[in-house]
């Protein structure tokens, strides 16, 4: 995966009521209703620059089964997974790239266990890195990131907003939208919360209707 899977528009994204967030110092939404942590991963190894590429229509069902097996084999519990359409900015190519991926909800897992599972997935599917997010209290010493979720976003919106905002595409790198219901999921460093808020507005999302959860992100790479 790319360095940042920051903005994810997923296929069956998580909802747990709406928490108004009026400033960059956002109020925390309720704790994640079903998962201790999340893993964002793909089996794709190609660079895809055409949004009409047929590889972007894959459902990743076999990948889903294999990753669930990895999670269970390493002592954690696999909950649901969500199909994502990702749009990312390539600084090397100077253009947007596209990717299908899945977000996996994981329960009964420690920080070290989550890292290990992500590393197994990375190696097995030949990825540069795999993103993890552990849900934590806002005030935890380990909290370093936010999970911002909002409805009403398409991959076209995401593509156009990235191209129009050089700071967001360089710092956030891109993200994903749920394939089925167009829900934005943005995983961003805590320090980038003001930029993320601005970018969410550029996507046409009312910040007061966004959900913000706190936790620890890690890009598990080689």
């Amino acid at each position: 995966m790319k360095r940042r899977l920051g903005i994810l528009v997923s296929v069956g994204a998580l909802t747990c009521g709406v928490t108004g967030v009026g400033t960059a110092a956002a109020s925390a939404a309720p704790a994640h209703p079903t998962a201790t942590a999340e893993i964002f991963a793909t089996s794709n190894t190609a660079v895809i620059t055409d949004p009409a590429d047929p590889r972007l229509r894959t459902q990743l069902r076999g990948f889903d089964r294999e990753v669930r097996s990895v999670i269970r084999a390493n002592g954690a519990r696999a909950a649901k997974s969500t199909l994502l359409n990702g749009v990312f900015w390539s600084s090397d190519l100077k253009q947007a790239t596209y990717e299908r991926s899945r977000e996996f909800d994981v329960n009964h897992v420690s920080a070290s266990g989550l890292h290990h599972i992500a590393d197994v997935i990375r190696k097995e599917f030949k990825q540069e890195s795999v993103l993890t997010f552990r849900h934590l209290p806002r005030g935890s010493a380990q909290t370093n990131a936010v999970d911002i979720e909002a409805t009403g976003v398409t991959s076209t919106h995401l593509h156009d907003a990235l191209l129009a905002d050089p700071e967001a595409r360089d710092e956030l790198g891109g993200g994903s939208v749920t394939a089925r219901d167009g829900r934005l999921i943005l995983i961003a460093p805590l320090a980038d919360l003001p930029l993320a808020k601005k970018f969410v507005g550029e996507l046409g999302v009312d910040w007061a209707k966004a959900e913000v959860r706190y936790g620890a992100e890690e890009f598990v790479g080689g």
Side-chain angles (χ1 to χ4, degrees):
M1 291 223 126
K2 314 323 185 258
R3 200 215 73 81
R4 174 148 306 285
L5 250 177
I7 303 149
L8 298 163
V9 186
S10 66
V11 171
L14 319 157
T15 58
C16 187
V18 174
T19 297
V21 186
T23 67
S27 300
H32 193 292
T34 62
T36 302
E38 298 166 81
I39 293 174
F40 300 92
T42 184
S43 57
N44 174 62
T45 57
V47 176
I48 300 174
T49 58
D50 179 3
D53 192 298
R55 289 172 292 185
L56 297 174
R57 295 195 291 271
T58 178
Q59 298 298 301
L60 293 174
R61 293 192 179 98
F63 177 66
D64 180 28
R65 291 191 296 270
E66 291 181 70
V67 169
R68 287 172 180 274
S69 294
V70 170
I71 293 170
R72 291 192 295 266
N74 285 276
R77 182 172 298 173
K80 73 183 183 74
S81 80
T82 296
L83 187 65
L84 308 175
N85 289 324
V87 182
F88 306 95
W89 177 254
S90 170
S91 56
D92 293 333
L93 298 175
K94 304 299 182 187
Q95 69 178 101
T97 64
Y98 303 86
E99 188 168 81
R100 278 276 216 184
S101 64
R102 278 190 175 271
E103 175 269 326
F104 297 87
D105 290 353
V106 185
N107 286 307
H108 301 289
V109 66
S110 65
S112 59
L114 185 66
H115 177 98
H116 174 73
I117 291 169
D119 196 42
V120 171
I121 294 168
R122 178 188 66 82
K123 292 174 181 174
E124 185 166 335
F125 295 98
K126 299 178 173 59
Q127 298 298 303
E128 292 181 10
S129 64
V130 169
L131 172 63
T132 67
F133 186 86
R134 287 188 298 123
H135 294 272
L136 296 169
R138 180 177 179 177
S140 170
Q142 299 175 60
T143 293
N144 64 9
V146 289
D147 172 357
I148 302 169
E149 302 183 17
T151 58
V153 180
T154 67
S155 54
T156 300
H157 290 148
L158 183 54
H159 170 274
D160 294 347
L162 276 177
L163 264 59
D165 189 334
E167 183 184 16
R169 73 189 185 210
D170 289 341
E171 294 300 319
L172 300 175
S176 305
V177 177
T178 57
R180 185 179 62 196
D181 59 4
R183 184 175 182 81
L184 175 71
I185 305 174
L186 168 58
I187 308 295
L190 209 51
D192 284 339
L193 185 54
L195 175 60
K197 178 187 176 183
K198 178 173 76 76
F199 187 70
V200 165
E202 292 166 356
L203 286 167
V205 172
D206 181 354
W207 182 250
K209 295 181 179 179
E211 296 176 357
V212 180
R213 295 183 178 89
Y214 290 77
E217 68 164 1
E218 182 184 9
F219 284 88
V220 179

